[in-house]
Amino acid sequence: MTATFPTPGPTPDRFAHRLGRRWPSATGAVAAAVSLVLVSPLPDAGQLAVGAWGVLLAAVIYLGWGSARGALVERRVLAIQLGAVLGFGALAIAAVAAGLEVARFALAGGWLAHAAWDVAHHRAGRVVPRWWAETCAVIDVTVALFLLVVGTW
């Protein structure tokens, strides 16, 4: 009888399996790229508006999805979601009211804060599906980095 030893390192099958589990990240990367391509031709004020209201919409989606899934029946969870919507809404209003240079950094911070929000939801697996939180986190980080590095969309 011949002894068999496990092959060291990832095999192609293991790599494909791991990659297959990361489809939400790939979806987020594609969605971020498409949104950057669509928004970048807009004038600076238009880009600012899309960035500001987009970060608010991201929080509202969590509130709506959590409501539809019945995940917000606990008052504490509902209060946290409503607080997030109010916080991201205040950030959106402040960014629109600020000058473009200040808005750029405020929005980048807002998108990074929403990415942290996504990670918390991904870990909890409660309000939104985990795949959604992962997809959204990739979009949020991509947009934030683009704002910090390029300055606009």
Side-chain angles (χ1 to χ4, degrees):
M1 185 181 282
T2 307
T4 58
F5 298 97
T7 56
T11 63
D13 290 340
R14 288 174 72 193
F15 178 74
H17 177 71
R18 285 183 181 162
L19 189 60
R21 289 186 310 165
R22 295 284 64 96
W23 69 265
S25 293
T27 303
V30 169
V34 168
S35 69
L36 292 172
V37 166
L38 292 175
V39 174
S40 62
L42 296 176
D44 288 344
Q47 292 179 27
L48 170 63
V50 170
W53 302 120
V55 77
L56 171 60
L57 178 62
V60 170
I61 288 170
Y62 274 55
L63 180 67
W65 204 328
S67 296
R69 294 180 80 196
L72 305 181
V73 293
E74 291 179 41
R75 286 185 185 201
R76 183 181 68 79
V77 177
L78 177 60
I80 291 169
Q81 294 299 319
L82 288 171
V85 169
L86 291 174
F88 286 112
L91 174 86
I93 292 168
V96 169
L100 289 174
E101 223 18 70
V102 173
R104 164 188 169 196
F105 292 106
L107 287 176
W111 284 104
L112 288 174
H114 196 271
W117 188 243
D118 297 326
V119 170
H121 282 82
H122 186 270
R123 294 186 75 177
R126 199 166 165 187
V127 174
V128 296
R130 293 171 58 90
W131 66 264
W132 177 266
E134 182 178 334
T135 301
C136 194
V138 171
I139 295 168
D140 296 349
V141 170
T142 303
V143 170
L145 290 176
F146 204 84
L147 285 167
L148 291 172
V149 173
V150 177
T152 60
W153 289 42

